[in-house]
Amino acid sequence: MNTNLGSQENIIKPDHLKFFEEGILKRIITESAKQVGSIVEVITTASQIPELVAEEYLDAFGQLGVAHIGILDIRNREDAKNEEYLARIRKADVIMFSGGDQLRLSSIFGGTEFLQILKARYEKDNFVIAGTSAGAAAASTNMIYRGQSGKALIKGEVQITAGLGFIDSVIIDTHFVQRGRIGRLLYAVASNPGMLGIGLGEDAGLLITEGTTMEAIGSGLTILVNGRKMGETNIYDVEMGSPVSIKNMRVSVMSIYDKYDLVQNQLFIKKHVKAEKKAFTGAPDDI
């Protein structure tokens, strides 16, 4: 089971964790087999302010009643070999990747025993892997790590590399609505239409179960860019630095409780039933 979360990490200490307020962290604990009895390990590798981020997660998970919360302060590939850390991820029920720079995650964990253990547990165990911001962006096999929003549809501006590989056939971008990153995802999917583009807005998350079904959680929006029925594109013909054209790219929007079948490539929108208004007349019962 894998939970990808969209949120924001600033260079200064954030005022609060927005997705915690919307109940996304609570949902992570609910999905864990041991719930509040879970062993949660937070990986702050992506962050430039790991100590402050660690404090936020200790507080947030603590407020949910989780007693066993650890911080894996891994800052380089040598740290990722630490036998104590390897033992801890073998025992953990929930792993949480913080935000920051996703390239740090791929370059530090790529090819390590640490990542192999996580992948094996994700495939075989009742195990939750979650990520926010960079932690979400790095969860897929391929990830966007660079690209200005305003120049995203210029050939060569969007940079893609290998991610951590927990989820196949998708590519994830975060801070999507707020930072206007639709162009980045359009470019990424046009270059490989077999991938589903996922754009996580603020306070938006996806719960991905068994790699087959996604459920939207949190109060924000998730944008899906599907290129499987895309028409023509000139992305392979134009020179570097030239604008890219794309025909008939499909875009969908998910909000809370909507589900997407990754096998059938189909979105199911949750029907919200309005509560019936009832009128009451008459006097109270006699006493």
Side-chain angles (χ1 to χ4, degrees):
M1 180 178 296
N2 188 294
T3 306
N4 293 305
L5 310 179
S7 187
Q8 182 173 2
E9 181 189 68
N10 300 315
I11 299 302
I12 60 173
K13 181 178 179 179
D15 293 331
H16 57 276
L17 296 174
K18 293 182 180 179
F19 52 85
F20 169 67
E21 290 187 344
E22 300 300 332
I24 297 180
L25 286 186
K26 184 176 180 180
R27 181 65 183 273
I28 292 172
I29 298 304
T30 300
E31 292 294 331
S32 176
K34 298 178 184 176
Q35 300 194 3
V36 294
S38 299
I39 298 174
V40 177
E41 296 285 0
V42 179
I43 299 173
T44 57
T45 303
S47 179
Q48 298 179 43
I49 49 170
E51 296 89 353
L52 295 177
V53 170
E55 289 178 12
E56 292 287 341
Y57 280 104
L58 288 170
D59 180 63
F61 280 116
Q63 289 187 48
L64 291 173
V66 180
H68 307 291
I69 315 163
I71 304 297
L72 298 180
D73 187 13
I74 298 171
R75 305 195 185 193
N76 51 55
R77 289 181 66 84
E78 194 63 32
D79 289 344
K81 299 176 183 178
N82 187 308
E83 289 295 335
E84 177 194 344
Y85 291 165
L86 296 180
R88 284 167 60 179
I89 62 171
R90 288 188 177 101
K91 295 179 180 178
D93 302 296
V94 177
I95 294 292
M96 181 81 193
F97 285 94
S98 78
D101 181 355
Q102 54 263 44
L103 196 57
R104 286 182 56 81
L105 293 175
S106 60
S107 60
I108 289 175
F109 292 114
T112 63
E113 183 181 3
F114 189 100
L115 184 57
Q116 290 172 3
I117 293 169
L118 290 183
K119 286 183 176 181
R121 294 206 59 206
Y122 172 68
E123 293 173 0
K124 299 176 182 179
D125 298 342
N126 193 336
F127 183 58
V128 177
I129 297 178
T132 177
S133 190
S140 53
T141 301
N142 297 287
M143 71 177 189
I144 298 171
Y145 73 93
R146 183 178 299 165
Q148 295 183 41
S149 299
K151 298 181 180 180
L153 289 172
I154 302 298
K155 186 173 180 177
E157 286 295 323
V158 175
Q159 302 294 313
I160 300 171
T161 190
L164 299 180
F166 301 124
I167 314 169
D168 292 324
S169 301
V170 303
I171 190 162
I172 301 165
D173 210 352
T174 57
H175 311 290
F176 193 75
V177 178
Q178 185 186 51
R179 299 186 186 180
R181 287 180 168 174
I182 183 67
R184 295 188 359 157
L185 212 51
L186 287 170
Y187 185 94
V189 175
S191 66
N192 188 347
M195 295 188 299
L196 177 69
I198 300 173
L200 292 168
E202 303 304 313
D203 301 323
L206 286 175
L207 175 69
I208 303 177
T209 308
E210 305 296 337
T212 60
T213 304
M214 303 191 304
E215 178 187 343
I217 56 178
S219 64
L221 298 175
T222 297
I223 311 300
L224 303 180
V225 176
N226 190 335
R228 290 174 175 83
K229 295 185 179 180
M230 182 182 72
E232 193 57 62
T233 179
N234 63 357
I235 196 168
Y236 45 80
D237 284 332
V238 298
E239 296 181 355
M240 298 293 286
S242 299
V244 170
S245 300
I246 306 168
K247 182 179 179 181
N248 293 342
M249 187 74 80
R250 180 178 294 178
V251 176
S252 302
V253 181
M254 295 180 72
S255 60
I256 190 167
Y257 306 129
D258 291 346
K259 292 186 177 182
Y260 190 91
D261 188 322
L262 287 164
V263 177
Q264 300 297 324
N265 296 307
Q266 190 171 1
L267 174 62
F268 298 92
I269 295 177
K270 174 70 174 180
K271 293 183 179 179
H272 295 269
V273 180
K274 294 182 179 180
E276 293 182 4
K277 294 183 179 179
K278 296 182 180 180
F280 295 90
T281 59
D285 292 340
D286 293 335
I287 298 176

